[in-house]
C-alpha cells in the first residue's frame, strides 16, 4: 500500500501506474481535480520513455503535444549551438489532463480538495497525516511526498532545506492570436544576452508553428520580486519596458511577441538545494520538486519528476528499496545538471 501526497506530475503518474497493476494507492491533492496551473514545458525523449513504460498511451501523448525539431542556442556574441533530444512541446494543462485521465481509471483512491498540513512518524513504519480540515489519519503505508517546491512534508523532515532564489525572474507569455515569425517553426530558440563578463544577463526563448499561437519566456538576472501583487498572471504592459531593456540585441523579435501578448505569468525562479539533503529513508520519501526543484529556466523539472516516479515504481514493483532508488536518482540528477552547466558555458564563451 502506498500513500501519495501531491497530485502534480510525479505523484499522479506514480499513483496511476501503481494502481493500474493492482496496488492499493491513496492520493491526496489540495487542489480540485480540474486545477491545472503552470504555463508550458518541454519534455525530451527520456521523459517520454517514462510515460510509455508506465503505461501512458503513445497516441494520447502524440495528440496532446507536438514535436520540437531542434533546440537552438544563440549568444549575443554570435556563438551558436543546436541539438535535438526528442523534445516535445506541452502546455502544462494538457500534460496534467493526460495524467489525470490516466490515474482516473487506475483504481487509485483519489482525494482532491484535501490538503495535508503535517506528516509525522509516530513509530517505526507508522505515519500520522494531518489534514487541512483539522482531521488526521494514520497509515502503515509508504508515504511518497510529491507536494511541490513548497513541500509541507520536506518542511517537517528537513526544516533547514528551504527553496532558495535562483537569481532570475521568469516570465511566460503566449500570443493571443496565431503568430508567424522569421525564425524556424517548431524550433525552440534560446537567445542569451551576455553581459561584459560573458554571463547571461537574460535568456529569451520562443517557439511557434504555422496557424497557432506562439509561446515565449524570458529569465532575467536581477533581485527577486517581493510584493504579493508581483507574481502570477500580470498585464504584459507592466513588463514590456523591462523585457525590451533585457533583450537589446533582438528587440524587433521581442517587440512582435510582446505586442501580441495580453498577459504574462511571472515568478521568482527557485531551487531546492541537494547539497545538504538528508539521506532518503523510509517510511517517507520526497520526490520531484519536493526533493530537488530547479528553476524552470533549466527546462528539466518535468523530466526529473517523471524519472523519480519511474525509479520509485521500479523499486516498489521489484521488491527493491525505494529509498535507495531515490538516493541513486539524486546522484544522476547532480551529474545531469553539471553536464548542462558545462554545455551552457560553451555557448557563452
Amino acid at each position: 500500500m502506498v500513500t501519495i501526497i501531491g497530485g502534480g506530475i510525479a505523484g499522479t503518474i506514480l499513483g496511476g501506474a501503481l494502481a493500474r497493476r493492482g496496488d492499493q494507492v491513496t492520493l491526496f491533492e489540495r487542489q480540485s481535480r480540474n486545477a491545472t496551473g503552470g504555463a508550458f514545458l518541454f519534455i525530451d525523449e527520456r521523459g517520454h520513455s517514462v510515460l510509455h513504460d508506465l503505461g501512458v498511451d503513445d497516441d494520447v501523448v502524440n495528440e496532446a503535444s507536438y514535436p520540437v525539431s531542434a533546440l537552438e542556442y544563440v549568444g549575443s556574441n554570435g556563438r551558436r549551438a543546436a541539438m535535438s533530444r526528442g523534445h516535445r512541446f506541452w502546455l502544462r494543462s494538457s500534460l496534467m489532463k493526460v495524467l489525470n485521465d490516466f490515474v482516473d481509471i487506475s483504481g487509485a483512491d483519489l482525494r482532491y480538495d484535501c490538503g495535508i498540513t503535517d506528516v509525522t512518524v509516530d513509530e517505526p513504519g507508522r505515519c500520522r497525516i494531518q489534514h487541512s480540515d483539522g482531521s488526521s489519519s494514520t497509515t502503515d503505508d509508504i508515504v511518497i511526498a510529491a507536494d511541490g517546491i513548497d513541500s509541507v512534508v520536506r518542511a517537517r523532515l528537513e526544516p533547514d532545506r528551504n527553496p532558495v532564489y535562483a537569481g532570475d525572474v521568469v516570465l511566460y507569455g503566449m500570443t493571443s492570436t496565431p503568430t508567424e515569425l522569421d525564425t524556424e517553426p517548431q524550433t525552440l530558440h534560446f537567445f542569451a544576452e551576455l553581459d561584459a563578463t560573458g554571463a547571461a544577463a537574460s535568456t529569451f526563448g520562443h517557439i511557434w508553428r504555422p496557424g497557432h499561437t506562439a509561446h515565449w519566456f524570458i529569465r532575467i538576472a536581477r533581485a527577486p520580486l517581493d510584493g504579493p501583487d508581483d507574481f502570477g498572471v500580470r498585464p504584459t504592459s507592466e513588463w514590456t519596458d523591462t523585457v525590451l531593456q533585457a533583450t537589446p540585441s533582438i528587440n524587433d523579435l521581442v517587440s512582435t511577441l510582446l505586442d501580441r501578448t495580453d498577459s504574462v505569468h511571472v515568478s521568482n525562479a527557485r531551487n531546492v538545494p541537494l547539497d545538504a539533503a538528508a539521506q532518503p529513508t523510509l517510511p517517507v520519501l520526497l520526490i520531484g520538486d519536493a526533493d530537488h526543484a530547479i528553476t524552470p529556466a533549466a527546462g528539466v523539472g518535468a523530466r526529473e519528476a517523471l524519472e523519480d516516479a519511474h525509479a520509485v515504481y521500479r523499486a516498489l514493483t521489484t521488491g527493491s528499496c525505494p529509498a535507495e532508488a531515490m538516493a541513486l536518482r539524486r546522484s544522476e540528477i547532480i551529474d545531469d545538471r553539471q553536464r548542462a552547466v558545462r554545455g551552457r558555458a560553451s555557448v557563452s564563451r
Side-chain angles (χ1 to χ4, degrees):
M1 296 189 295
V2 177
T3 294
I4 298 174
I5 299 173
I9 294 171
T12 303
I13 187 66
L14 176 59
L18 288 171
R20 286 163 69 99
R21 72 181 297 274
D23 291 1
Q24 293 184 16
V25 176
T26 303
L27 187 151
F28 295 99
E29 167 54 42
R30 64 181 177 84
Q31 298 190 73
S32 67
R33 162 65 173 79
N34 295 319
T36 52
F40 55 87
L41 46 87
F42 303 90
I43 301 177
D44 65 13
E45 59 192 359
R46 283 170 47 179
H48 289 109
S49 71
V50 170
L51 293 175
H52 174 83
D53 290 349
L54 294 183
V56 178
D57 187 89
D58 292 341
D59 290 338
V60 172
V61 168
N62 293 337
E63 184 176 348
S65 61
Y66 68 83
V68 176
S69 57
L71 281 69
E72 182 184 60
Y73 296 83
V74 180
S76 56
N77 58 359
R79 187 173 178 84
R80 293 175 174 267
M83 66 184 72
S84 178
R85 297 192 301 271
H87 282 82
R88 297 184 71 86
F89 172 91
W90 287 87
L91 292 175
R92 191 179 189 279
S93 58
S94 298
L95 176 60
M96 286 311 305
K97 183 180 186 308
V98 168
L99 298 182
N100 286 334
D101 289 347
F102 177 73
V103 77
D104 280 348
I105 59 172
S106 69
D109 179 5
L110 305 175
R111 305 187 187 183
Y112 294 101
D113 294 306
C114 190
I116 302 300
T117 59
D118 198 9
V119 173
T120 56
V121 180
D122 286 345
E123 57 186 78
R126 189 168 183 81
C127 295
R128 179 176 296 276
I129 299 174
Q130 190 71 35
H131 303 273
S132 55
D133 63 3
S135 64
S136 65
S137 58
T138 57
T139 180
D140 296 322
D141 300 354
I142 292 174
V143 175
I144 306 295
D147 54 337
I149 189 169
D150 294 308
S151 169
V152 169
V153 182
R154 188 188 65 248
R156 160 61 71 172
L157 297 179
E158 302 179 62
D160 295 328
R161 191 157 69 99
N162 299 311
V164 296
Y165 183 54
D168 303 303
V169 170
V170 179
L171 281 69
Y172 287 93
M174 178 179 71
T175 60
S176 57
T177 58
T179 299
E180 298 197 3
L181 303 168
D182 292 334
T183 54
E184 286 295 317
Q186 288 192 208
T187 295
L188 178 55
H189 301 271
F190 295 92
F191 182 86
E193 193 75 58
L194 306 180
D195 62 20
T197 70
S202 71
T203 301
F204 188 89
H206 77 280
I207 188 168
W208 68 278
R209 57 177 175 153
H212 293 78
T213 55
H215 295 81
W216 60 270
F217 71 89
I218 186 170
R219 68 172 185 84
I220 304 172
R222 48 159 290 165
L225 303 172
D226 58 8
D229 295 330
D230 292 335
F231 303 105
V233 178
R234 307 298 305 168
T236 303
S237 58
E238 292 183 0
W239 281 90
T240 296
D241 290 345
T242 300
V243 172
L244 289 174
Q245 290 168 10
T247 55
S249 301
I250 52 170
N251 264 185
D252 288 346
L253 168 67
V254 175
S255 293
T256 297
L257 290 166
L258 287 169
D259 288 346
R260 301 182 185 187
T261 301
D262 296 329
S263 62
V264 291
H265 186 276
V266 184
S267 64
N268 285 330
R270 297 183 294 160
N271 299 327
V272 173
L274 276 173
D275 51 357
Q279 185 73 8
T281 56
L282 297 176
V284 183
L285 287 181
L286 301 167
I287 69 171
D289 281 357
D291 189 47
H292 47 71
I294 188 170
T295 165
V300 296
R303 185 195 72 202
E304 289 181 350
L306 290 168
E307 290 186 331
D308 283 2
H310 197 199
V312 172
Y313 173 85
R314 288 199 306 266
L316 290 171
T317 56
T318 60
S320 55
C321 178
E324 292 178 2
M326 276 308 301
L328 178 59
R329 276 290 300 141
R330 286 178 174 178
S331 296
E332 294 169 346
I333 288 166
I334 291 170
D335 289 344
D336 279 346
R337 292 179 181 179
Q338 290 174 342
R339 282 192 293 271
V341 169
R342 291 193 294 270
R344 288 193 292 272
S346 70
V347 175
S348 62
R349 287 198 297 268

